[in-house]
Amino acid sequence: MAHPAQLGFQDAASPVMEELLHFHDHALMIVFLISTLVLYIIVAMVSTKLTNKYILDSQEIEIVWTILPAIILVLIALPSLRILYLMDEINDPHVTIKAMGHQWYWSYEYTDYENLEFDSYMVPTQDLTPGQFRLLETDNRMVVPVQSPIRVLVSAEDVLHSWAVPSLGMKMDAVPGRLNQTAFIVSRPGLFYGQCSEICGANHSFMPIVIEAVPLKYFELWSSSSLESA
């Protein structure tokens, strides 16, 4: 969950998000070193009255500042490609959930079960209980087991939406007539909040996503009770 005036990312709750945080720190350190070097060169050139003829026309320096940026780009590209492939990897999911975007709410269908589906609407401000978050709480949460591969099939009924949960490193476009898929593993139990990340109309800000991660035995109890009530 994000905090007021927070500058960094939310705490990682999935292996993919942990990799994204490490890559962010890796890239940020490279940017910091480049910025420091450029700032030093600018200050040195402005503050000195001396001129070095070997710097003004030097094949060696031109070779260095051509090869060095190429090496830096490789150091950034290789970890980036690795994470990109990890995010697309879907191996033997334990649960498959179809998330459909509507104007303006989400509906979920657990395709491994006979009749387990529900709509998820935002809880109005006047109905919130103490401890709940305004504009982020839903009447029905998407419940998933922890430490289990979860596949999510994302689509939309009417216009473009985007199913995003920052703490899990998840963001997938919901396109009408198209079925996109993504996968994640929740590392620990808890509540994880997200919102539609595609401007989809007047109530775009009022279709939140809440994922409740619970141990497997509690997920089985929840699924059986939901099927009985349906």
Side-chain angles (χ1 to χ4, degrees):
M1 182 66 195
H3 303 286
Q6 179 175 333
L7 297 179
F9 291 97
Q10 297 182 26
D11 292 338
S14 71
V16 169
M17 190 58 192
E18 291 178 4
E19 293 290 336
L20 288 172
L21 287 179
H22 293 156
F23 175 70
H24 169 265
D25 296 341
H26 168 72
L28 193 64
M29 182 57 64
I30 293 176
V31 170
F32 175 76
L33 293 175
I34 293 174
S35 302
T36 304
L37 176 62
V38 171
L39 180 62
Y40 168 76
I41 294 174
I42 292 174
V43 172
M45 292 183 67
V46 171
S47 60
T48 182
K49 296 180 180 179
L50 301 177
T51 301
N52 192 324
K53 65 178 181 179
Y54 296 108
I55 293 180
L56 293 178
D57 185 15
S58 173
Q59 296 294 329
E60 291 78 8
I61 290 180
E62 292 186 8
I63 292 173
V64 169
W65 71 37
T66 300
I67 295 178
L68 192 60
I71 295 174
I72 293 173
L73 288 176
V74 170
L75 292 176
I76 295 175
L78 291 180
S80 176
L81 290 173
R82 174 176 170 271
I83 297 174
L84 194 62
Y85 279 100
L86 284 175
M87 294 175 69
D88 281 341
E89 196 71 30
I90 301 176
N91 291 322
D92 191 23
H94 294 177
V95 179
T96 299
I97 305 170
K98 184 168 71 174
M100 291 288 293
H102 305 266
Q103 289 183 311
W104 285 272
Y105 64 94
W106 293 97
S107 62
Y108 299 102
E109 178 184 345
Y110 289 71
T111 58
D112 300 294
Y113 296 85
E114 186 69 27
N115 188 27
L116 182 52
E117 56 185 74
F118 53 85
D119 296 330
S120 181
Y121 289 88
M122 187 191 75
V123 177
T125 303
Q126 62 271 18
D127 297 334
L128 292 173
T129 59
Q132 291 186 327
F133 299 105
R134 188 177 70 90
L135 303 181
L136 288 177
E137 294 292 344
T138 59
D139 55 356
N140 291 307
R141 296 167 176 168
M142 175 179 157
V143 182
V144 299
V146 297
Q147 302 293 343
S148 297
I150 310 297
R151 176 171 58 184
V152 183
L153 305 176
V154 184
S155 187
E157 188 73 25
D158 34 48
V159 298
L160 290 174
H161 299 279
S162 185
W163 195 82
V165 184
S167 57
L168 299 177
M170 300 288 300
K171 185 173 182 181
M172 181 59 65
D173 288 339
V175 183
R178 181 184 179 94
L179 201 62
N180 293 327
Q181 74 171 351
T182 184
F184 64 92
I185 299 175
V186 185
S187 303
R188 62 178 187 275
L191 292 177
F192 308 102
Y193 296 89
Q195 291 177 300
C196 176
S197 296
E198 187 75 49
I199 298 178
C200 56
N203 292 331
H204 158 70
S205 303
F206 306 105
M207 49 182 302
I209 302 161
V210 181
I211 295 180
E212 182 176 356
V214 297
L216 181 59
K217 62 178 181 179
Y218 294 108
F219 173 77
E220 292 173 344
L221 291 174
W222 172 82
S223 59
S224 59
S225 62
S226 299
L227 289 171
E228 291 173 0
S229 60

